[in-house]
Structure formats: C-alpha cells, structure tokens
C-alpha cells in the first residue's frame, strides 16, 4: 500500500499522521479551529436598575456594586457569545488553573476558561479585554487536543431597560384599591397594609419585573396602589385578604389599542375590601348572642362570648351564616357592690346609679371595677378594669 501525505504541508502519514480528511494532525487543527468567537462583543446594562439581558430576557443583577456589576454583565455577554466548532456538542466552563491540568478530553467536548486581562471601567462604555482559552477534541483520530487562545474585547454600554422606560414614563397597568366594608380604613390599618404591600412587592419583583408600584395615593376611605402589572396587583390583593379576610373584585376600563397588535388595551382595577370588623368591636348574631371581637384575620373572627366569657372562632362562612354584625352599644365602668346566688349589683362610676344583672358563670369580686357593655338595655361584663 502506497504511503499517504498531507495535502496541505506534504508531510507523510508516518511522520504526521494519522491523516484526518487528508490532513496531518497539525494541519487538521489549523484548518479546523474550534474557537470561533468574535473579537469584539457589545452588551448593555440599564443605567437605572442595573438589569441586563440573559438569552434575550432582561434580568435583575446579582450585585449593585457598579464595578462588580460591569464584570457580571461582561462575563455573561462573553458566555452567551461563545461560538465553537459545530462538532463540539458539550461545553464546560472551568477556571484557568483547572484547564491547565486537563490532558484528556472526550470527542465532541470542549473545556473553556476566560479571565479579564485589562479593563477600563471608569466611564461608559466600559471596556474589558479577556483572554479566552479552550481545549477540545472534535475527531476520534486526534492524537493531540485543540488548544487555542484568543483575546476578546467586551464593550458594556448604558441604556434604559423597557421596565424603567415605562416606570419613568408613569406607566401603570392596574390599580389596587384597598377599602373596608361600611367604614374607612384607620391610620393603623393603612400603615400596616402599606408595609405588607412593600414587603410583598420585593418578593413579587424577583419573578415579575413589571410588579413595581408606580404610585401610592392615600384617600380618606382607603389606599390606591398604581401597579406596573395586573398579576402583581392580584397577588397583593390575595396577600391582603389572606391577612385580613374580605373579598376581591375586578373591573376593567378600555384605555386604547395596541399599536403593534391592534388589540384593545384594558386597565384593571383590583379591589380588595376587608371586613368591617375590628379588634374590640361589639357584635351580635341572629340568636342574640353578644360578643367582643378579639382578632380578625384571613381565616375568620376570634370572639369572646360576653355571656360566658368563652372564646369562639367563626370562619367567614360561619360568620355570614350566623349573621354576625356590629350592634349599637354603650360602654361604661361600674363597681360590683354586692352579689346574691342569682344576681350581682353594680354601681355606675359616673352616675352612681345601681343596677342588677344576672350572675355570670365566671367569678365577679365585690369592690372590683369592671368594664361593661349595654346592648338594648341589657348589661354584659366585658372585662375587669386594669389598674
């Protein structure tokens, strides 16, 4: 069998082989470079929020330290633009020290390392020069690995991301309206709800970049939050209902037409209405039982029965079925002056008038002052006055 020679350099197969596609080992590596990345790469970061694109999608940065952020953005751009020979099926990014130790690589695999060699990041565009290095094997007959190096320059430029463009332009997609049933929100409730919303928005924006609060308007009857996304407004409404109870409803307003799709564009108003009940309220049910509200949350009402002083819990479905509602009442302080097996006599601490009420199941001590509630002429002991 006649000896074969490399058609590029003329070396015999015995000296430079085995030949691969008619090329010696050295010429095969020269004619089939693995590292095909461009010499220059351009990328952007948002000058307002620090976000940048990852596979075409804007994401929030891992750090807000400007120097670290610039390198974070540049590293990502380098990795996304890394272009290798199509015969490389698997790419592994490793530190330079680890790459130096690699001597064997499976066919179709490439190990890549990169490190910044020189940079200028005092002003934009920031410029970072990387040394990119690769070791790879693309043919089973290769005796030596492809081992290539290349200098790549990454330019990091400033821009404004779509979210910040909308935020700075006053954009909002939905209004979250927080109200209370048959009353106005108290200042304490407004403060609590505002704090809850701020905490939840931080969580929401990790998954929904448009979940920002464009504006907060405090009104006499409640609070309006102008939200960047309808989804965020719905999640916040659910969080408020989970804590306070109540109901959620939605309304829609046609505001225009999308220029790109010609579809009608609607703005959503998400309304969450928390229950009228507050801690300390006096309420009654359809059977005539009188209670003091001990707590209100998303699960229902925690009540103290003022006849027995036993605690009861009613979920919202039960509260509606039992027709729980506030009742007209008068609060007063009175001293227990005497008692019989069936009655306790009290003296009103303001008018000094005396009156009797049925002796309750719990202990009442003579000489002690109690807080009482009068509902439809009947007295109920609320609690002992704390000194």
């Amino acid at each position: 069998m006649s000896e074969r020679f490399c058609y590029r350099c003329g070396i015999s197969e015995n000296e430079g082989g085995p030949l691969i596609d008619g090329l010696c080992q050295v010429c095969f590596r020269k004619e089939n470079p693995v590292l095909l990345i461009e010499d220059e790469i351009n990328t952007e970061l948002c000058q307002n929020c620090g976000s940048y694109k990852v596979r075409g999608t804007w994401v929030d940065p891992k750090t807000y330290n400007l120097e670290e952020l610039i390198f974070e953005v540049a590293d990502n751009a380098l990795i996304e633009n890394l272009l290798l020979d199509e015969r490389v099926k698997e790419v592994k990014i490793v530190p330079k020290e680890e790459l130096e130790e690699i001597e064997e690589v499976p066919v179709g695999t490439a190990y890549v390392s990169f490190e910044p060699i020189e940079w200028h990041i005092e002003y934009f565009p920031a410029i970072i020069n990387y040394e990119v290095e690769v070791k790879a094997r693309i043919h089973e007959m290769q005796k030596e690995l492809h081992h290539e190096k290349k200098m790549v320059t990454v330019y990091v430029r400033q821009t404004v991301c779509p979210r910040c463009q909308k935020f700075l332009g006053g954009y909002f997609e939905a209004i979250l309206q927080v109200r209370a049933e048959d009353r106005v929100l108290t200042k304490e409730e407004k403060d609590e709800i505002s704090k809850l919303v701020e905490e939840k928005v931080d969580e929401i924006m990790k998954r929904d970049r448009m979940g920002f609060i464009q504006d907060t308007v405090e009104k006499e009857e409640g609070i309006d939050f102008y939200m960047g996304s309808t989804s965020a407004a719905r999640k916040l409404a659910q969080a408020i209902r989970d804590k306070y109870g109540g109901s959620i409803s939605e309304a829609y307003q046609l505001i225009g037409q999308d220029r790109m799709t010609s579809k009608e564009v609607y703005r959503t108003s998400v309304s969450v209405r928390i229950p009228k009940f507050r801690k300390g309220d006096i309420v009654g049910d359809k059977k005539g039982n009188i209670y003091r509200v001990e707590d209100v949350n998303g699960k229902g009402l925690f009540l103290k029965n003022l006849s027995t002083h036993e605690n009861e819990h009613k979920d919202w479905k039960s509260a509606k079925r039992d027709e729980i509602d506030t009742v007209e009442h008068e609060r007063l302080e009175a001293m227990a002056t005497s008692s019989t097996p069936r009655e306790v006599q009290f003296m009103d601490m303001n008018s000094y008038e005396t009156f009797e009420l049925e002796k309750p199941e719990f202990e009442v001590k003579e000489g002690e002052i109690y807080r009482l509630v009068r509902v439809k002429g009947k007295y109920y002991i609320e609690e002992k006055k704390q000194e």
Side-chain angles (χ1 to χ4, degrees):
M1 183 177 179
S2 60
E3 188 172 4
R4 298 191 301 167
F5 298 87
C6 173
Y7 70 78
R8 185 175 183 275
C9 69
I11 193 171
S12 69
E13 186 168 23
N14 286 337
E15 292 181 75
L19 300 183
I20 305 174
D21 299 331
L23 294 167
C24 68
Q25 293 287 314
V26 174
C27 290
F28 175 77
R29 293 196 299 274
K30 288 181 179 179
E31 290 290 309
N32 296 272
V34 170
L35 192 55
L36 306 177
I37 189 171
E38 296 288 340
D39 296 333
E40 295 183 353
I41 298 171
N42 288 282
T43 188
E44 297 175 325
L45 69 81
C46 178
Q47 63 189 27
N48 292 297
C49 68
S51 63
Y52 58 95
K53 284 185 179 180
V54 175
R55 292 185 292 276
T57 301
W58 287 91
V59 300
D60 291 321
K62 298 175 183 176
T63 177
Y64 289 96
N65 175 282
L66 183 57
E67 182 174 331
E68 294 176 4
L69 173 57
I70 289 172
F71 280 99
E72 179 184 331
V73 174
D75 287 355
N76 174 74
L78 186 70
I79 292 172
E80 285 203 347
N81 287 274
L82 183 63
L83 182 61
L84 302 176
D85 185 281
E86 63 181 8
R87 285 166 285 188
V88 175
K89 305 302 181 184
E90 183 179 9
V91 180
K92 297 182 179 180
I93 307 295
V94 297
K96 183 176 179 63
E97 298 76 18
E98 183 178 335
L99 185 68
E100 291 173 351
E101 301 296 324
I102 293 175
E103 296 180 354
E104 292 294 331
V105 176
V107 175
T109 301
Y111 287 83
V112 180
S113 75
F114 61 89
E115 63 177 356
I117 303 299
E118 184 182 15
W119 54 87
H120 303 283
I121 59 175
E122 299 81 15
Y123 50 83
F124 287 92
I127 303 172
I128 305 176
N129 294 316
Y130 287 90
E131 181 183 71
V132 183
E133 187 174 358
V134 62
K135 286 184 179 180
R137 186 188 300 275
I138 61 174
H139 198 284
E140 60 186 1
M141 294 177 66
Q142 271 185 260
K143 295 175 67 176
E144 293 185 18
L145 301 178
H146 279 75
H147 187 189
E148 301 170 17
K149 295 182 181 180
K150 187 173 185 177
M151 294 301 298
V152 178
T153 302
V154 178
Y155 296 90
V156 180
R157 306 178 190 278
Q158 286 187 312
T159 189
V160 180
C161 71
R163 175 184 65 180
C164 288
Q165 288 177 3
K166 289 186 174 182
F167 179 78
L168 295 172
Y171 173 86
F172 63 96
E173 188 176 280
I175 305 174
L176 172 63
Q177 299 175 319
V178 186
R179 303 288 188 268
E181 181 185 354
D182 296 336
R183 64 177 178 84
V184 300
L185 290 177
T186 65
K187 184 181 184 305
E188 181 182 17
E189 287 172 329
K190 290 178 180 178
D191 292 343
E192 286 181 356
I193 290 169
S194 294
K195 184 178 179 181
L196 173 65
V197 166
E198 289 174 6
E199 292 173 352
K200 291 295 180 181
V201 163
D202 288 341
E203 296 177 15
I204 290 170
M205 287 191 65
K206 293 176 182 178
R207 300 180 299 276
D208 179 2
R209 283 175 44 80
M210 291 299 293
F212 57 79
I213 301 175
Q214 176 60 248
D215 194 12
T216 301
V217 178
E218 188 169 317
K219 299 185 175 182
E220 181 180 352
E221 65 273 19
I223 316 177
D224 289 350
F225 298 94
Y226 290 76
M227 304 300 304
S229 81
T230 302
S231 173
R234 287 168 175 158
K235 289 176 181 177
L236 290 173
Q238 185 63 52
I240 293 170
R241 186 173 68 176
D242 287 346
K243 181 172 182 178
Y244 296 96
S247 60
I248 297 174
S249 61
E250 292 189 9
Y252 310 94
Q253 179 186 5
L254 178 64
I255 59 172
Q257 193 174 58
D258 190 289
R259 294 179 181 178
M260 300 294 291
T261 63
S262 298
K263 291 183 178 179
E264 293 181 335
V265 178
Y266 290 85
R267 179 164 289 148
T268 306
S269 293
V270 182
S271 177
V272 55
R273 193 171 294 275
I274 68 175
K276 67 169 71 175
F277 309 110
R278 290 177 289 177
K279 184 177 180 179
D281 282 352
I282 303 301
V283 300
D285 63 17
K286 64 183 180 181
K287 294 181 180 179
N289 296 311
I290 302 300
Y291 306 89
R292 185 178 70 181
V293 177
E294 301 295 291
D295 195 15
V296 184
N297 62 27
K299 296 181 179 179
L301 290 168
F302 292 85
L303 307 171
K304 178 170 43 173
N305 187 313
L306 294 186
S307 294
T308 64
H309 273 217
E310 293 180 352
N311 292 322
E312 300 181 23
H313 173 260
K314 292 184 182 292
D315 59 37
W316 292 113
K317 186 179 291 186
S318 299
K320 184 177 181 179
R321 182 192 63 218
D322 294 343
E323 300 177 11
I324 298 292
D325 203 353
T326 54
V327 295
E328 292 187 8
H329 63 280
E330 177 188 356
R331 279 188 162 101
L332 65 150
E333 292 182 358
M335 177 185 291
T337 55
S338 64
S339 64
T340 68
R342 301 183 63 180
E343 292 181 331
V344 178
Q345 185 182 70
F346 282 92
M347 180 181 69
D348 189 316
M349 298 303 293
N350 286 326
S351 66
Y352 301 109
E353 295 180 358
T354 60
F355 54 89
E356 290 77 28
L357 59 83
E358 185 178 343
K359 192 170 187 178
E361 298 177 13
F362 50 89
E363 183 182 12
V364 176
K365 295 182 179 180
E366 294 181 13
E368 298 282 3
I369 297 176
Y370 292 84
R371 290 192 171 92
L372 275 64
V373 176
R374 182 165 61 189
V375 179
K376 295 180 179 179
K378 185 176 180 180
Y379 291 94
Y380 298 87
I381 299 174
E382 191 174 355
E383 61 186 1
K384 178 182 173 183
K385 180 180 179 181
Q386 301 298 318
E387 296 181 3

